[in-house]
Amino acid sequence: MRRRIMYLLLPLLFLHVSAQRWTPFGYTSKQPAKEGRVRLVGNLPSSGRVEIYHDGQWGTVCDDGWDVAEAQVVCRQMGFPGAISITAGGQYGEGSGPVWLDDMYCKGSESSLSDCSFKGWGVTDCTHKEDAGVTCDTGKNITSNRQFSVDNSLGLSDDLGLLFDSGDGCDFSIKVRDLSEEAELAFCVHRMILMIYPELNITNESRNLTVDVSQACHPHVSAFLRYLYTRQIDVSITSAQCLHQLSFIFGVKTLMEDVGRVFTSLLPEDNTFQTQLSMYEYGVRTGDLVLQENVLQYLSWNCEFLISSPLWSTISFHMMDALLQRSDLVVKDEAFLLEALERWIQDKGDEISSEQQASLLNHIRFLLISMDKLYEIQFSSSVLHQNHEKLYLTGLLSGFQFNALPFSKIRNKMDNMSNDYLPRIYTANEWSAFINDTTPTINHRRYNNY
């Protein structure tokens, strides 16, 4: 029987299958093994001067345009949940070699720093006195050592586990290397077992597979490979992230979803929303719908606080799109949500196209905005209003009609009930109106709360 237990999230650890040129973020790289890799040079592994590997040598990053979005990308690329702070002006000492990147601009959802916008490799007017640095979140406040069992065996024989332990008759080699290629483990397994997982493309001619895994994950690889035989595994806080990404690499979706559920227990631990945003983007990259939904639900229930946080302007378009479609958003009122959307679009600037702006605006439920605020919107001078005046007018007209006409008359013109008529969870004071219907026995009350 499967037991779904909530676990705690540890820093994201970077893995990829080099033989198939995969990464846990789902893209194929044609670059050399170390191209685009980042490192931090300082006294601690989690903080220091940012350096990036390109064209056979390490170089630095200029602090022009260096902000929290860029820091988030660096920290997640290195396996941390997110960034705590940024530093500029060579605080961690001046680097050597080229200044590879200048005028950085990241959305915050990129898989690697080299995916962001910049002038060009080595195109800069900076010196090493302007080398950028970051301090990453390590997640070391998590101290629990509990273990939980995941059992998806469905009656599989324990003898398969003994077969893995003994290695008898094994005919396939899995090599596990450290990212620095300084350490290597080797496992002898059975090709027939791995052929069950089509994403690995194992054939009868295949003889080996090489997996690059952060050295911190090496102790957990054997347990994961044994799971492929038995569908049983003990998961601890220290192994959860490694097992999740190994599950993604090997295409073991059931285990990935089981372990993905454990991350939700960390959600309330970070009131800055850095971890939550990183977890959602990670869920998108790995295709973990369970993780995405859990994060979105948490963000929905804390939406007012998210809107008030500095990270509101950094969330991605696809996260904003997913949030605005939800009816479990807890916000002051719909007008407050519209103002927050306008501010987010203004902060994003040219990053959000006109078509994307329009699609987000269509998620605003104008029908649930009070009459006085609908009236004030007409005089709004926001960029969103100016660029999409027709959409605003359509929304305002629908809102005024819904507030002024008997609902029975409106309903006759509707084919179905859309989300436009479904209130979210509003925290502002109730407002309501009593409207006498044409039918004497019906008294319609429209209200905008819960």
Side-chain angles (χ1 to χ4, degrees):
M1 181 178 64
R2 180 188 304 178
R3 295 184 227 174
R4 297 174 180 174
I5 309 295
M6 304 289 279
Y7 304 94
L8 297 177
L9 176 69
L10 274 192
L12 305 177
L13 303 172
F14 181 81
L15 313 97
H16 72 276
V17 178
S18 60
Q20 267 60 8
R21 307 178 71 85
W22 290 358
T23 73
F25 304 144
Y27 65 86
T28 301
S29 172
K30 297 182 180 180
Q31 302 286 354
K34 292 184 179 180
E35 180 69 20
R37 184 174 297 172
V38 294
R39 69 182 183 185
L40 300 181
V41 179
N43 295 328
L44 297 173
S46 59
S47 61
R49 181 178 63 252
V50 178
E51 295 192 353
I52 186 167
Y53 191 87
H54 172 67
D55 197 23
Q57 66 179 127
W58 290 96
T60 61
V61 180
C62 180
D63 60 15
D64 292 347
W66 191 250
D67 209 339
V68 64
E70 290 72 30
Q72 293 281 10
V73 173
V74 169
C75 291
R76 287 202 301 267
Q77 184 178 350
M78 293 198 61
F80 297 103
I84 296 176
S85 63
I86 61 173
T87 59
Q91 180 174 327
Y92 289 103
E94 298 180 15
S96 59
V99 178
W100 278 133
L101 305 180
D102 190 8
D103 287 348
M104 295 294 305
Y105 178 76
C106 297
K107 300 175 183 178
S109 58
E110 292 86 352
S111 300
S112 61
L113 191 62
S114 58
D115 291 337
C116 299
S117 172
F118 56 93
K119 281 184 176 180
W121 290 104
V123 180
T124 181
D125 56 0
C126 297
T127 68
H128 285 298
K129 292 182 178 180
E130 300 170 86
D131 287 343
V134 298
T135 299
C136 298
D137 182 10
T138 63
K140 288 187 177 179
N141 57 324
I142 303 171
T143 58
S144 175
N145 291 317
R146 291 184 300 164
Q147 286 194 338
F148 307 95
S149 296
V150 173
D151 189 346
N152 297 312
S153 60
L154 299 177
L156 286 176
S157 172
D158 290 338
D159 291 341
L160 289 175
L162 298 177
L163 178 64
F164 171 78
D165 296 337
S166 68
D168 292 342
C170 63
D171 57 355
F172 192 88
S173 174
I174 295 182
K175 296 180 180 179
V176 180
R177 300 181 307 186
D178 180 69
L179 289 173
S180 64
E181 302 181 4
E182 295 177 354
E184 182 175 289
L185 301 174
F187 297 90
C188 188
V189 296
H190 300 81
R191 182 189 296 104
M192 187 61 67
I193 297 294
L194 269 65
M195 289 178 69
I196 298 175
Y197 305 96
E199 293 191 28
L200 295 177
N201 295 322
I202 303 298
T203 66
N204 289 326
E205 292 74 29
S206 303
R207 290 292 180 268
N208 60 76
L209 181 69
T210 300
V211 184
D212 287 342
V213 180
S214 174
Q215 194 168 2
C217 277
H218 283 196
H220 310 297
V221 175
S222 179
F224 172 78
L225 294 177
R226 198 177 195 277
Y227 173 87
L228 301 183
Y229 287 71
T230 66
R231 303 296 198 279
Q232 294 176 312
I233 194 169
D234 289 331
V235 183
S236 68
I237 293 171
T238 55
S239 67
Q241 181 61 36
C242 296
L243 295 177
H244 188 280
Q245 292 198 2
L246 283 167
S247 300
F248 173 74
I249 290 172
F250 281 76
V252 189
K253 295 183 179 180
T254 301
L255 181 60
M256 186 177 75
E257 291 178 357
D258 284 342
V259 178
R261 290 183 178 89
V262 313
F263 298 150
T264 56
S265 59
L266 184 66
L267 293 175
E269 301 297 326
D270 185 358
N271 58 12
T272 69
F273 295 103
Q274 292 177 354
T275 301
Q276 293 87 341
L277 300 191
S278 295
M279 287 169 63
Y280 179 78
E281 298 298 340
Y282 172 69
V284 170
R285 289 191 290 267
T286 58
D288 191 331
L289 299 179
V290 174
L291 180 58
Q292 292 177 51
E293 171 58 26
N294 287 337
V295 175
L296 284 176
Q297 186 178 75
Y298 176 85
L299 294 177
S300 297
W301 293 351
N302 294 274
C303 193
E304 275 194 47
F305 299 103
L306 174 62
I307 290 173
S308 302
S309 75
L311 291 185
W312 172 250
S313 62
T314 70
I315 70 175
S316 61
F317 166 78
H318 55 263
M319 175 180 280
M320 179 64 76
D321 186 60
L323 279 173
L324 292 182
Q325 296 184 57
R326 299 180 70 91
S327 294
D328 57 348
L329 289 183
V330 179
V331 290
K332 182 179 179 181
D333 53 35
E334 197 72 15
F336 175 80
L337 188 61
L338 175 58
E339 292 170 1
L341 174 61
E342 291 173 339
R343 188 173 73 252
W344 178 84
I345 289 178
Q346 185 174 3
D347 291 341
K348 288 293 185 181
D350 295 337
E351 179 184 334
I352 304 300
S353 67
S354 179
E355 292 76 13
Q356 289 175 321
Q357 293 179 16
S359 67
L360 295 176
L361 185 59
N362 281 327
H363 296 321
I364 295 297
R365 303 174 185 182
F366 283 90
L367 306 180
L368 305 181
I369 299 178
S370 63
M371 292 279 281
D372 57 337
K373 291 185 178 179
L374 281 173
Y375 179 76
E376 293 297 331
I377 288 175
Q378 298 179 92
F379 310 105
S380 168
S381 59
S382 70
V383 174
L384 188 59
H385 191 181
Q386 294 171 4
N387 293 344
H388 304 282
E389 185 175 2
K390 289 184 178 180
L391 283 177
Y392 265 84
L393 291 176
T394 300
L396 291 173
L397 176 61
S398 299
F400 282 125
Q401 288 177 341
F402 186 65
N403 281 273
L405 296 174
F407 185 66
S408 58
K409 186 171 185 177
I410 298 175
R411 189 182 184 91
N412 291 334
K413 302 295 183 182
M414 295 190 325
D415 296 328
N416 53 59
M417 289 288 289
S418 69
N419 284 339
D420 291 341
Y421 295 86
L422 185 62
R424 309 185 201 266
I425 304 175
Y426 299 115
T427 61
N429 293 332
E430 294 184 11
W431 61 270
S432 59
F434 289 92
I435 301 175
N436 290 325
D437 201 330
T438 54
T439 304
T441 58
I442 298 178
N443 187 33
H444 172 66
R445 173 172 179 161
R446 226 288 284 153
Y447 62 91
N448 180 18
N449 195 27
Y450 299 95

